[in-house]
Coordinates of all heavy atoms in Angstrom, one line a residue:
E412 N 1.5 2.0 -11.5 CA 1.3 0.7 -12.0 C -0.1 0.7 -12.6 O -1.1 1.2 -12.1 CB 1.2 -0.3 -10.8 CG 2.5 -1.2 -10.8 CD 3.4 -0.9 -9.7 OE1 2.9 -0.4 -8.7 OE2 4.6 -1.1 -9.8
H510 N -8.2 3.5 -2.4 CA -7.0 2.8 -2.6 C -6.5 2.1 -1.3 O -6.0 0.9 -1.3 CB -5.9 3.7 -3.1 CG -4.6 3.1 -3.4 ND1 -4.4 2.2 -4.5 CD2 -3.4 3.0 -2.8 CE1 -3.2 1.8 -4.5 NE2 -2.5 2.3 -3.5
H514 N -5.6 -1.8 -0.3 CA -4.5 -2.4 0.4 C -4.9 -3.3 1.6 O -4.4 -4.3 1.8 CB -3.6 -1.2 0.9 CG -2.6 -0.8 -0.2 ND1 -1.7 -1.7 -0.7 CD2 -2.3 0.4 -0.7 CE1 -0.9 -1.1 -1.6 NE2 -1.3 0.2 -1.6
V534 N 1.4 0.6 5.4 CA 2.6 1.3 5.1 C 2.9 1.3 3.7 O 3.3 0.3 3.2 CB 3.7 0.8 6.0 CG1 3.9 1.5 7.3 CG2 3.8 -0.7 6.2
S535 N 2.6 2.4 3.0 CA 2.9 2.4 1.5 C 3.8 3.6 1.2 O 4.3 4.2 2.0 CB 1.5 2.6 0.8 OG 0.9 3.8 1.1
G536 N 3.8 4.0 -0.1 CA 4.6 5.1 -0.5 C 4.0 6.5 0.0 O 4.7 7.4 0.1
G537 N 2.7 6.5 0.0 CA 2.0 7.8 0.4 C 1.4 7.8 1.8 O 1.0 8.9 2.2
H538 N 1.3 6.7 2.4 CA 0.6 6.6 3.7 C 1.2 5.7 4.7 O 1.8 4.7 4.3 CB -0.9 6.2 3.5 CG -1.7 7.0 2.6 ND1 -1.7 7.0 1.3 CD2 -2.5 8.1 3.0 CE1 -2.4 7.9 0.8 NE2 -2.9 8.6 1.8
G562 N 7.2 4.5 3.2 CA 7.8 4.3 1.8 C 8.5 5.5 1.2 O 9.6 5.3 0.6
E563 N 8.0 6.6 1.5 CA 8.6 7.9 1.0 C 9.9 8.0 1.7 O 10.9 8.5 1.0 CB 7.7 9.0 1.5 CG 7.8 10.3 0.8 CD 6.8 11.3 1.4 OE1 5.9 10.9 2.2 OE2 6.8 12.5 1.0
F565 N 11.9 5.6 2.6 CA 12.8 4.6 1.9 C 13.2 5.2 0.6 O 14.4 5.1 0.3 CB 12.0 3.3 1.7 CG 12.2 2.3 2.8 CD1 11.3 2.1 3.8 CD2 13.3 1.4 2.8 CE1 11.4 1.2 4.8 CE2 13.5 0.4 3.7 CZ 12.5 0.3 4.8
D566 N 12.3 5.8 -0.1 CA 12.7 6.4 -1.4 C 13.6 7.5 -1.3 O 14.6 7.7 -2.1 CB 11.4 6.9 -2.1 CG 10.5 5.7 -2.6 OD1 11.0 4.6 -2.7 OD2 9.2 5.9 -2.7
P577 N 12.6 2.3 -7.4 CA 12.0 2.6 -6.1 C 13.0 2.3 -5.0 O 13.7 1.3 -5.1 CB 10.7 1.8 -6.0 CG 10.9 0.7 -6.9 CD 11.9 1.1 -8.0
G578 N 13.0 3.1 -4.0 CA 14.0 3.0 -2.9 C 13.9 1.8 -2.0 O 14.9 1.2 -1.6
G579 N 12.6 1.4 -1.7 CA 12.4 0.3 -0.8 C 13.2 -1.0 -1.1 O 14.0 -1.5 -0.3
P580 N 12.9 -1.6 -2.3 CA 13.6 -2.8 -2.7 C 15.1 -2.6 -2.8 O 15.9 -3.5 -2.4 CB 13.1 -3.1 -4.1 CG 11.7 -2.4 -4.1 CD 11.9 -1.2 -3.3
E583 N 16.6 -2.6 0.8 CA 16.5 -3.9 1.3 C 17.7 -4.8 0.7 O 18.4 -5.5 1.4 CB 15.2 -4.6 0.9 CG 15.2 -6.0 1.5 CD 13.7 -6.6 1.5 OE1 12.8 -5.9 1.3 OE2 13.7 -7.8 1.8
Q639 N 17.1 0.9 7.7 CA 16.0 -0.1 7.6 C 15.5 -0.7 9.0 O 14.4 -0.8 9.2 CB 16.4 -1.2 6.7 CG 15.4 -2.4 6.5 CD 15.9 -3.5 5.6 OE1 15.5 -3.5 4.5 NE2 16.7 -4.4 6.1
G666 N 0.6 -3.0 2.2 CA 1.2 -1.8 1.5 C 2.6 -2.2 1.1 O 3.2 -3.2 1.6
G667 N 3.1 -1.4 0.3 CA 4.4 -1.7 -0.4 C 5.6 -1.9 0.6 O 6.4 -2.8 0.5
V668 N 5.6 -1.2 1.7 CA 6.7 -1.4 2.8 C 6.5 -2.7 3.5 O 7.5 -3.2 4.1 CB 6.7 -0.1 3.8 CG1 7.8 -0.3 4.7 CG2 6.9 1.1 3.0
A670 N 6.3 -5.3 2.2 CA 7.1 -6.3 1.4 C 8.4 -6.4 2.1 O 9.2 -7.4 1.7 CB 7.1 -5.9 0.0
N671 N 8.8 -5.5 2.9 CA 10.2 -5.6 3.5 C 10.4 -6.8 4.4 O 9.7 -6.9 5.4 CB 10.5 -4.3 4.2 CG 11.9 -4.1 4.6 OD1 12.2 -4.6 5.7 ND2 12.7 -3.5 3.8
T672 N 11.4 -7.6 4.0 CA 11.6 -8.9 4.7 C 12.0 -8.6 6.2 O 11.6 -9.4 7.0 CB 12.7 -9.7 4.0 OG1 12.5 -9.6 2.6 CG2 12.8 -11.1 4.5
C697 N 1.6 -6.8 -2.0 CA 2.0 -5.7 -1.0 C 1.9 -4.4 -1.8 O 1.4 -3.4 -1.5 CB 3.3 -5.9 -0.4 SG 3.2 -7.1 0.9
T698 N 2.7 -4.4 -3.0 CA 2.7 -3.2 -3.9 C 1.4 -3.2 -4.6 O 0.6 -4.1 -4.6 CB 3.9 -3.3 -4.7 OG1 4.0 -4.6 -5.2 CG2 5.2 -3.0 -4.0
D699 N 1.2 -2.1 -5.3 CA -0.1 -1.8 -6.0 C -0.5 -2.9 -7.0 O 0.3 -3.4 -7.8 CB 0.0 -0.5 -6.7 CG 0.0 0.7 -5.7 OD1 -0.3 0.5 -4.5 OD2 0.2 1.8 -6.1
Ligands
KG4_105 O1 1.7 0.4 -1.8 P1 2.7 0.9 -2.9 O2 3.0 0.1 -4.0 O3 2.2 2.2 -3.5 C1 1.5 3.3 -2.7 O4 0.3 3.1 -2.5 O5 2.3 4.2 -2.4 O6 4.0 1.3 -2.0 C2 5.2 1.8 -2.7 C3 6.2 2.1 -1.7 C4 7.4 2.8 -2.2 O7 7.8 3.9 -1.5 C5 8.5 1.7 -2.2 O8 9.8 2.1 -2.0 C6 8.0 0.9 -1.0 O9 6.7 0.9 -1.1 N1 8.5 -0.5 -1.0 C7 9.3 -1.0 0.0 C8 9.6 -2.3 -0.5 N2 9.0 -2.6 -1.7 C9 8.3 -1.4 -2.0 N3 9.8 -0.5 1.1 C10 10.6 -1.3 1.8 N4 11.0 -2.5 1.5 C11 10.6 -3.1 0.4 N5 10.9 -4.3 0.0

Side-chain angles (χ1 to χ4, degrees):
E412 255 110 26
H510 184 73
H514 273 300
V534 270
S535 70
H538 297 85
E563 200 177 350
F565 269 94
D566 294 335
E583 180 166 352
Q639 175 178 263
V668 181
N671 187 272
T672 316
C697 285
T698 43
D699 289 349

